[in-house]
């Protein structure tokens, strides 16, 4: 999504941190208003379109960078591969959770230990034949 212009109407907005939220569109010019100090807002790490307002571009305080030209060849790749990375990460976490749950469920059914303790009953391990004297 993008930053709605209606936020500019919030009279008592003191801080404005929307960094690393994959926001798109144009950064509104009102972020350069004098009631925002350099430390009271951060819009870095989004997918804003170029050009950025001068106050927060890389030549300003840098609090809106980076920006992307939606007409360039690189922009779709950033969005597509960024989304694919997120999906792959979620799939990996789900896969890990599945196998961990399966392992604990098998341990409950078999009476063994969930962590595969080789000394657990019925799983082999360090059992020795008694020594004959």
């Amino acid at each position: 999504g993008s930053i709605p212009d209606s936020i500019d109407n919030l009279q008592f907005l003191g801080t404005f941190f929307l960094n690393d939220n994959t926001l798109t569109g144009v950064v509104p010019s009102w972020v350069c208003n004098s009631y925002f100090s350099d430390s009271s807002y951060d819009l870095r790490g989004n997918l804003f379109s170029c050009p950025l307002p001068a106050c927060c571009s890389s030549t300003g305080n840098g609090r809106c960078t980076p920006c992307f030209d939606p007409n360039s060849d690189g922009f779709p790749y950033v969005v597509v591969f960024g989304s694919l990375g997120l999906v792959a990460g979620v799939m990996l976490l789900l896969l890990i959770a599945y196998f961990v749950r399966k392992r604990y469920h098998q341990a409950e059914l078999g009476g063994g230990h969930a962590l595969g303790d080789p000394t657990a009953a019925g799983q082999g391990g360090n059992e020795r034949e008694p020594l004959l004297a």
Side-chain angles (χ1 to χ4, degrees):
S2 61
I3 301 173
D5 283 327
S6 59
I7 291 179
D8 187 32
N9 297 329
L10 299 174
Q11 296 176 357
F12 300 106
L13 182 64
T15 56
F16 189 66
F17 294 97
L18 293 175
N19 50 307
D20 302 315
N21 279 292
T22 319
L23 295 172
T24 58
V26 177
V27 175
S29 60
W30 53 259
V31 301
C32 294
N33 290 344
S34 61
Y35 53 82
F36 282 121
S37 69
D38 282 352
S39 62
S40 66
Y41 75 98
D42 193 349
L43 302 172
R44 290 178 281 202
N46 288 293
L47 299 172
F48 294 125
S49 299
C50 293
L52 295 171
C55 70
C56 63
S57 68
S58 59
T59 58
N61 64 19
R63 292 192 179 267
C64 296
T65 58
C67 70
F68 301 93
D69 182 359
N71 298 321
S72 74
D73 291 337
F75 182 72
Y77 298 113
V78 169
V79 174
V80 168
F81 289 118
S83 299
L84 287 176
L86 178 65
V87 169
V90 169
M91 293 296 290
L92 181 62
L93 287 174
L94 290 173
L95 189 63
I96 290 169
Y98 169 78
F99 282 113
V100 167
R101 185 171 184 249
K102 184 177 176 181
R103 176 90 178 202
Y104 278 102
H105 182 68
Q106 287 174 344
E108 287 175 358
L109 291 177
H113 293 284
L115 298 177
D117 182 3
T119 61
Q123 293 188 9
N126 292 333
E127 296 114 4
R128 297 185 179 195
E129 294 292 324
L131 295 176
L132 298 173

